[in-house]
Every structure is written in structure tokens, then in C-alpha cells.
Amino acid sequence: MNAVDSVKSVLLPMLGDLLTHLLDTDQAEAAAFFSRVFHDLNAVTGEEQLLEVFIELSTTAFLGIDFDNAALALIDDVLMHAEQVAATFSANTAQPQ
């Protein structure tokens, strides 16, 4: 399994759990956004596309949506994992000076 597939295997279930919660609690606007992110992540085949999804995720705070506490905790987990992966990818591609 390559790095992108490994990341997807962790993040897709996390986003799935978040979507389930959002749909179960009638948070339709948030569910629509994260459904789009889920679809985009599922279609990723390379690192550049993965980083584009991470950029999309980074806009979460600017959506103007009031999330409940459970959703916020799930979102925090997703964002933290995405941030760690992005940092790892950028550390691996950094050129020595």
C-alpha cells in the first residue's frame, strides 16, 4: 500500500463517522460539505490531490456553520490527522541546503 492509500484508509473511515453523526443530527449543511470532502478524498490518486483535499478541509473554520460538540471533536480528529500527514509529506520532500 502506498502512502496516499494508507492516508485514505485512515481518513475515509474518520470522515464516514463524521458524516454519519452529521446526518443523524440533522446538520445538513455540514454534511453536504464533508460529503464533498469524502468524495474528493476517495478520488485521490496522488500526493498533490491529497494536499488539495487538505486545503479544502482547512476551510472548515470559515464555513460559518455551528457544529455540535460531538461534530467538533470528530472534525478536530480529522484536521489533526490531515495536518500531521501534510507535515510528514512536506518534511519528506524538503531539499537539504
PDB file of all heavy atoms in Angstrom, residues 49-75:
ATOM      1  N   GLN A  49      -3.138  15.783  -5.174  1.00  0.00           N
ATOM      2  CA  GLN A  49      -4.588  15.756  -4.970  1.00  0.00           C
ATOM      3  C   GLN A  49      -4.918  15.651  -3.488  1.00  0.00           C
ATOM      4  O   GLN A  49      -5.875  16.270  -3.017  1.00  0.00           O
ATOM      5  CB  GLN A  49      -5.218  14.579  -5.713  1.00  0.00           C
ATOM      6  CG  GLN A  49      -5.190  14.697  -7.210  1.00  0.00           C
ATOM      7  CD  GLN A  49      -5.672  13.411  -7.851  1.00  0.00           C
ATOM      8  OE1 GLN A  49      -5.214  12.324  -7.488  1.00  0.00           O
ATOM      9  NE2 GLN A  49      -6.610  13.528  -8.774  1.00  0.00           N
ATOM     10  N   LEU A  50      -4.136  14.867  -2.768  1.00  0.00           N
ATOM     11  CA  LEU A  50      -4.360  14.716  -1.331  1.00  0.00           C
ATOM     12  C   LEU A  50      -4.180  16.050  -0.623  1.00  0.00           C
ATOM     13  O   LEU A  50      -5.002  16.441   0.209  1.00  0.00           O
ATOM     14  CB  LEU A  50      -3.403  13.673  -0.755  1.00  0.00           C
ATOM     15  CG  LEU A  50      -3.579  13.322   0.712  1.00  0.00           C
ATOM     16  CD1 LEU A  50      -4.961  12.739   0.983  1.00  0.00           C
ATOM     17  CD2 LEU A  50      -2.495  12.348   1.141  1.00  0.00           C
ATOM     18  N   LEU A  51      -3.139  16.775  -0.985  1.00  0.00           N
ATOM     19  CA  LEU A  51      -2.910  18.084  -0.370  1.00  0.00           C
ATOM     20  C   LEU A  51      -4.015  19.070  -0.738  1.00  0.00           C
ATOM     21  O   LEU A  51      -4.378  19.920   0.074  1.00  0.00           O
ATOM     22  CB  LEU A  51      -1.524  18.606  -0.740  1.00  0.00           C
ATOM     23  CG  LEU A  51      -0.372  17.764  -0.171  1.00  0.00           C
ATOM     24  CD1 LEU A  51       0.977  18.296  -0.652  1.00  0.00           C
ATOM     25  CD2 LEU A  51      -0.410  17.698   1.340  1.00  0.00           C
ATOM     26  N   GLU A  52      -4.597  18.937  -1.928  1.00  0.00           N
ATOM     27  CA  GLU A  52      -5.739  19.781  -2.306  1.00  0.00           C
ATOM     28  C   GLU A  52      -6.935  19.512  -1.384  1.00  0.00           C
ATOM     29  O   GLU A  52      -7.637  20.441  -0.981  1.00  0.00           O
ATOM     30  CB  GLU A  52      -6.122  19.547  -3.760  1.00  0.00           C
ATOM     31  CG  GLU A  52      -5.126  20.114  -4.751  1.00  0.00           C
ATOM     32  CD  GLU A  52      -5.432  19.747  -6.192  1.00  0.00           C
ATOM     33  OE1 GLU A  52      -6.511  19.167  -6.464  1.00  0.00           O
ATOM     34  OE2 GLU A  52      -4.578  20.027  -7.050  1.00  0.00           O
ATOM     35  N   VAL A  53      -7.157  18.248  -1.061  1.00  0.00           N
ATOM     36  CA  VAL A  53      -8.239  17.900  -0.130  1.00  0.00           C
ATOM     37  C   VAL A  53      -7.950  18.491   1.244  1.00  0.00           C
ATOM     38  O   VAL A  53      -8.847  19.014   1.906  1.00  0.00           O
ATOM     39  CB  VAL A  53      -8.435  16.366  -0.047  1.00  0.00           C
ATOM     40  CG1 VAL A  53      -9.394  15.994   1.081  1.00  0.00           C
ATOM     41  CG2 VAL A  53      -8.933  15.825  -1.372  1.00  0.00           C
ATOM     42  N   PHE A  54      -6.687  18.457   1.659  1.00  0.00           N
ATOM     43  CA  PHE A  54      -6.325  19.037   2.947  1.00  0.00           C
ATOM     44  C   PHE A  54      -6.571  20.544   2.958  1.00  0.00           C
ATOM     45  O   PHE A  54      -7.010  21.095   3.966  1.00  0.00           O
ATOM     46  CB  PHE A  54      -4.872  18.734   3.300  1.00  0.00           C
ATOM     47  CG  PHE A  54      -4.600  17.285   3.608  1.00  0.00           C
ATOM     48  CD1 PHE A  54      -3.306  16.842   3.763  1.00  0.00           C
ATOM     49  CD2 PHE A  54      -5.626  16.360   3.743  1.00  0.00           C
ATOM     50  CE1 PHE A  54      -3.037  15.513   4.059  1.00  0.00           C
ATOM     51  CE2 PHE A  54      -5.377  15.033   4.025  1.00  0.00           C
ATOM     52  CZ  PHE A  54      -4.077  14.606   4.191  1.00  0.00           C
ATOM     53  N   ILE A  55      -6.304  21.197   1.846  1.00  0.00           N
ATOM     54  CA  ILE A  55      -6.587  22.635   1.744  1.00  0.00           C
ATOM     55  C   ILE A  55      -8.092  22.868   1.850  1.00  0.00           C
ATOM     56  O   ILE A  55      -8.550  23.780   2.543  1.00  0.00           O
ATOM     57  CB  ILE A  55      -6.005  23.224   0.447  1.00  0.00           C
ATOM     58  CG1 ILE A  55      -4.478  23.233   0.528  1.00  0.00           C
ATOM     59  CG2 ILE A  55      -6.557  24.616   0.180  1.00  0.00           C
ATOM     60  CD1 ILE A  55      -3.781  23.534  -0.786  1.00  0.00           C
ATOM     61  N   GLU A  56      -8.870  22.019   1.192  1.00  0.00           N
ATOM     62  CA  GLU A  56     -10.329  22.105   1.285  1.00  0.00           C
ATOM     63  C   GLU A  56     -10.777  21.936   2.740  1.00  0.00           C
ATOM     64  O   GLU A  56     -11.618  22.693   3.237  1.00  0.00           O
ATOM     65  CB  GLU A  56     -10.951  21.032   0.398  1.00  0.00           C
ATOM     66  CG  GLU A  56     -12.451  21.081   0.287  1.00  0.00           C
ATOM     67  CD  GLU A  56     -13.006  20.038  -0.659  1.00  0.00           C
ATOM     68  OE1 GLU A  56     -12.250  19.183  -1.162  1.00  0.00           O
ATOM     69  OE2 GLU A  56     -14.223  20.082  -0.883  1.00  0.00           O
ATOM     70  N   LEU A  57     -10.192  20.968   3.435  1.00  0.00           N
ATOM     71  CA  LEU A  57     -10.525  20.761   4.848  1.00  0.00           C
ATOM     72  C   LEU A  57     -10.170  21.977   5.698  1.00  0.00           C
ATOM     73  O   LEU A  57     -10.855  22.278   6.671  1.00  0.00           O
ATOM     74  CB  LEU A  57      -9.778  19.544   5.394  1.00  0.00           C
ATOM     75  CG  LEU A  57     -10.390  18.188   5.159  1.00  0.00           C
ATOM     76  CD1 LEU A  57      -9.414  17.084   5.542  1.00  0.00           C
ATOM     77  CD2 LEU A  57     -11.688  18.051   5.932  1.00  0.00           C
ATOM     78  N   SER A  58      -9.092  22.670   5.324  1.00  0.00           N
ATOM     79  CA  SER A  58      -8.642  23.816   6.124  1.00  0.00           C
ATOM     80  C   SER A  58      -9.639  24.966   6.112  1.00  0.00           C
ATOM     81  O   SER A  58      -9.551  25.865   6.937  1.00  0.00           O
ATOM     82  CB  SER A  58      -7.268  24.290   5.656  1.00  0.00           C
ATOM     83  OG  SER A  58      -7.364  24.950   4.410  1.00  0.00           O
ATOM     84  N   THR A  59     -10.604  24.928   5.208  1.00  0.00           N
ATOM     85  CA  THR A  59     -11.620  25.990   5.151  1.00  0.00           C
ATOM     86  C   THR A  59     -12.767  25.756   6.125  1.00  0.00           C
ATOM     87  O   THR A  59     -13.658  26.597   6.241  1.00  0.00           O
ATOM     88  CB  THR A  59     -12.193  26.136   3.726  1.00  0.00           C
ATOM     89  OG1 THR A  59     -12.940  24.964   3.385  1.00  0.00           O
ATOM     90  CG2 THR A  59     -11.098  26.381   2.699  1.00  0.00           C
ATOM     91  N   THR A  60     -12.738  24.648   6.835  1.00  0.00           N
ATOM     92  CA  THR A  60     -13.832  24.282   7.743  1.00  0.00           C
ATOM     93  C   THR A  60     -14.183  25.400   8.714  1.00  0.00           C
ATOM     94  O   THR A  60     -15.359  25.683   8.944  1.00  0.00           O
ATOM     95  CB  THR A  60     -13.472  23.000   8.521  1.00  0.00           C
ATOM     96  OG1 THR A  60     -13.202  21.952   7.593  1.00  0.00           O
ATOM     97  CG2 THR A  60     -14.592  22.586   9.437  1.00  0.00           C
ATOM     98  N   ALA A  61     -13.175  26.053   9.260  1.00  0.00           N
ATOM     99  CA  ALA A  61     -13.421  27.108  10.260  1.00  0.00           C
ATOM    100  C   ALA A  61     -14.127  28.318   9.657  1.00  0.00           C
ATOM    101  O   ALA A  61     -14.719  29.107  10.390  1.00  0.00           O
ATOM    102  CB  ALA A  61     -12.105  27.541  10.887  1.00  0.00           C
ATOM    103  N   PHE A  62     -14.082  28.455   8.337  1.00  0.00           N
ATOM    104  CA  PHE A  62     -14.647  29.638   7.680  1.00  0.00           C
ATOM    105  C   PHE A  62     -15.995  29.376   7.027  1.00  0.00           C
ATOM    106  O   PHE A  62     -16.506  30.227   6.309  1.00  0.00           O
ATOM    107  CB  PHE A  62     -13.655  30.174   6.640  1.00  0.00           C
ATOM    108  CG  PHE A  62     -12.305  30.440   7.218  1.00  0.00           C
ATOM    109  CD1 PHE A  62     -11.258  29.564   6.997  1.00  0.00           C
ATOM    110  CD2 PHE A  62     -12.087  31.540   8.034  1.00  0.00           C
ATOM    111  CE1 PHE A  62     -10.008  29.788   7.557  1.00  0.00           C
ATOM    112  CE2 PHE A  62     -10.847  31.775   8.595  1.00  0.00           C
ATOM    113  CZ  PHE A  62      -9.801  30.901   8.353  1.00  0.00           C
ATOM    114  N   LEU A  63     -16.575  28.210   7.287  1.00  0.00           N
ATOM    115  CA  LEU A  63     -17.847  27.858   6.673  1.00  0.00           C
ATOM    116  C   LEU A  63     -19.024  28.619   7.264  1.00  0.00           C
ATOM    117  O   LEU A  63     -20.064  28.719   6.638  1.00  0.00           O
ATOM    118  CB  LEU A  63     -18.101  26.352   6.803  1.00  0.00           C
ATOM    119  CG  LEU A  63     -17.145  25.432   6.068  1.00  0.00           C
ATOM    120  CD1 LEU A  63     -17.461  23.972   6.406  1.00  0.00           C
ATOM    121  CD2 LEU A  63     -17.204  25.668   4.572  1.00  0.00           C
ATOM    122  N   GLY A  64     -18.871  29.087   8.500  1.00  0.00           N
ATOM    123  CA  GLY A  64     -19.975  29.776   9.161  1.00  0.00           C
ATOM    124  C   GLY A  64     -21.043  28.820   9.661  1.00  0.00           C
ATOM    125  O   GLY A  64     -22.196  29.205   9.815  1.00  0.00           O
ATOM    126  N   ILE A  65     -20.644  27.587   9.913  1.00  0.00           N
ATOM    127  CA  ILE A  65     -21.578  26.566  10.393  1.00  0.00           C
ATOM    128  C   ILE A  65     -21.337  26.347  11.882  1.00  0.00           C
ATOM    129  O   ILE A  65     -20.202  26.249  12.327  1.00  0.00           O
ATOM    130  CB  ILE A  65     -21.368  25.241   9.635  1.00  0.00           C
ATOM    131  CG1 ILE A  65     -21.628  25.424   8.134  1.00  0.00           C
ATOM    132  CG2 ILE A  65     -22.264  24.144  10.199  1.00  0.00           C
ATOM    133  CD1 ILE A  65     -21.255  24.214   7.295  1.00  0.00           C
ATOM    134  N   ASP A  66     -22.424  26.265  12.636  1.00  0.00           N
ATOM    135  CA  ASP A  66     -22.325  25.934  14.057  1.00  0.00           C
ATOM    136  C   ASP A  66     -22.408  24.419  14.197  1.00  0.00           C
ATOM    137  O   ASP A  66     -23.444  23.818  13.924  1.00  0.00           O
ATOM    138  CB  ASP A  66     -23.458  26.581  14.856  1.00  0.00           C
ATOM    139  CG  ASP A  66     -23.312  28.089  14.965  1.00  0.00           C
ATOM    140  OD1 ASP A  66     -22.157  28.549  15.031  1.00  0.00           O
ATOM    141  OD2 ASP A  66     -24.341  28.780  14.980  1.00  0.00           O
ATOM    142  N   PHE A  67     -21.299  23.811  14.591  1.00  0.00           N
ATOM    143  CA  PHE A  67     -21.247  22.375  14.790  1.00  0.00           C
ATOM    144  C   PHE A  67     -21.544  22.055  16.251  1.00  0.00           C
ATOM    145  O   PHE A  67     -21.209  22.831  17.141  1.00  0.00           O
ATOM    146  CB  PHE A  67     -19.839  21.844  14.463  1.00  0.00           C
ATOM    147  CG  PHE A  67     -19.399  22.103  13.054  1.00  0.00           C
ATOM    148  CD1 PHE A  67     -18.499  23.119  12.769  1.00  0.00           C
ATOM    149  CD2 PHE A  67     -19.869  21.319  12.016  1.00  0.00           C
ATOM    150  CE1 PHE A  67     -18.072  23.355  11.475  1.00  0.00           C
ATOM    151  CE2 PHE A  67     -19.449  21.548  10.711  1.00  0.00           C
ATOM    152  CZ  PHE A  67     -18.547  22.567  10.445  1.00  0.00           C
ATOM    153  N   ASP A  68     -22.147  20.897  16.498  1.00  0.00           N
ATOM    154  CA  ASP A  68     -22.317  20.485  17.890  1.00  0.00           C
ATOM    155  C   ASP A  68     -20.976  19.967  18.417  1.00  0.00           C
ATOM    156  O   ASP A  68     -20.010  19.806  17.660  1.00  0.00           O
ATOM    157  CB  ASP A  68     -23.451  19.465  18.042  1.00  0.00           C
ATOM    158  CG  ASP A  68     -23.189  18.126  17.384  1.00  0.00           C
ATOM    159  OD1 ASP A  68     -22.021  17.789  17.085  1.00  0.00           O
ATOM    160  OD2 ASP A  68     -24.170  17.383  17.168  1.00  0.00           O
ATOM    161  N   ASN A  69     -20.909  19.748  19.722  1.00  0.00           N
ATOM    162  CA  ASN A  69     -19.649  19.353  20.354  1.00  0.00           C
ATOM    163  C   ASN A  69     -19.100  18.041  19.817  1.00  0.00           C
ATOM    164  O   ASN A  69     -17.881  17.897  19.637  1.00  0.00           O
ATOM    165  CB  ASN A  69     -19.795  19.292  21.872  1.00  0.00           C
ATOM    166  CG  ASN A  69     -19.919  20.665  22.477  1.00  0.00           C
ATOM    167  OD1 ASN A  69     -19.480  21.659  21.905  1.00  0.00           O
ATOM    168  ND2 ASN A  69     -20.535  20.743  23.647  1.00  0.00           N
ATOM    169  N   ALA A  70     -19.963  17.081  19.574  1.00  0.00           N
ATOM    170  CA  ALA A  70     -19.504  15.794  19.051  1.00  0.00           C
ATOM    171  C   ALA A  70     -18.911  15.964  17.655  1.00  0.00           C
ATOM    172  O   ALA A  70     -17.864  15.388  17.339  1.00  0.00           O
ATOM    173  CB  ALA A  70     -20.650  14.791  19.027  1.00  0.00           C
ATOM    174  N   ALA A  71     -19.556  16.765  16.825  1.00  0.00           N
ATOM    175  CA  ALA A  71     -19.037  17.021  15.482  1.00  0.00           C
ATOM    176  C   ALA A  71     -17.694  17.739  15.558  1.00  0.00           C
ATOM    177  O   ALA A  71     -16.762  17.407  14.812  1.00  0.00           O
ATOM    178  CB  ALA A  71     -20.032  17.834  14.662  1.00  0.00           C
ATOM    179  N   LEU A  72     -17.585  18.700  16.458  1.00  0.00           N
ATOM    180  CA  LEU A  72     -16.317  19.422  16.612  1.00  0.00           C
ATOM    181  C   LEU A  72     -15.180  18.483  16.989  1.00  0.00           C
ATOM    182  O   LEU A  72     -14.065  18.612  16.471  1.00  0.00           O
ATOM    183  CB  LEU A  72     -16.461  20.534  17.656  1.00  0.00           C
ATOM    184  CG  LEU A  72     -17.248  21.761  17.215  1.00  0.00           C
ATOM    185  CD1 LEU A  72     -17.469  22.690  18.401  1.00  0.00           C
ATOM    186  CD2 LEU A  72     -16.537  22.481  16.083  1.00  0.00           C
ATOM    187  N   ALA A  73     -15.458  17.537  17.871  1.00  0.00           N
ATOM    188  CA  ALA A  73     -14.420  16.578  18.274  1.00  0.00           C
ATOM    189  C   ALA A  73     -14.003  15.707  17.094  1.00  0.00           C
ATOM    190  O   ALA A  73     -12.801  15.474  16.876  1.00  0.00           O
ATOM    191  CB  ALA A  73     -14.928  15.718  19.427  1.00  0.00           C
ATOM    192  N   LEU A  74     -14.970  15.249  16.317  1.00  0.00           N
ATOM    193  CA  LEU A  74     -14.653  14.429  15.142  1.00  0.00           C
ATOM    194  C   LEU A  74     -13.891  15.240  14.094  1.00  0.00           C
ATOM    195  O   LEU A  74     -12.932  14.745  13.487  1.00  0.00           O
ATOM    196  CB  LEU A  74     -15.938  13.853  14.543  1.00  0.00           C
ATOM    197  CG  LEU A  74     -16.654  12.806  15.398  1.00  0.00           C
ATOM    198  CD1 LEU A  74     -18.066  12.561  14.885  1.00  0.00           C
ATOM    199  CD2 LEU A  74     -15.857  11.511  15.441  1.00  0.00           C
ATOM    200  N   ILE A  75     -14.306  16.478  13.892  1.00  0.00           N
ATOM    201  CA  ILE A  75     -13.629  17.361  12.936  1.00  0.00           C
ATOM    202  C   ILE A  75     -12.201  17.622  13.391  1.00  0.00           C
ATOM    203  O   ILE A  75     -11.265  17.585  12.573  1.00  0.00           O
ATOM    204  CB  ILE A  75     -14.412  18.683  12.759  1.00  0.00           C
ATOM    205  CG1 ILE A  75     -15.735  18.415  12.041  1.00  0.00           C
ATOM    206  CG2 ILE A  75     -13.576  19.713  11.996  1.00  0.00           C
ATOM    207  CD1 ILE A  75     -16.718  19.565  12.105  1.00  0.00           C
TER     208      ILE A  75
END
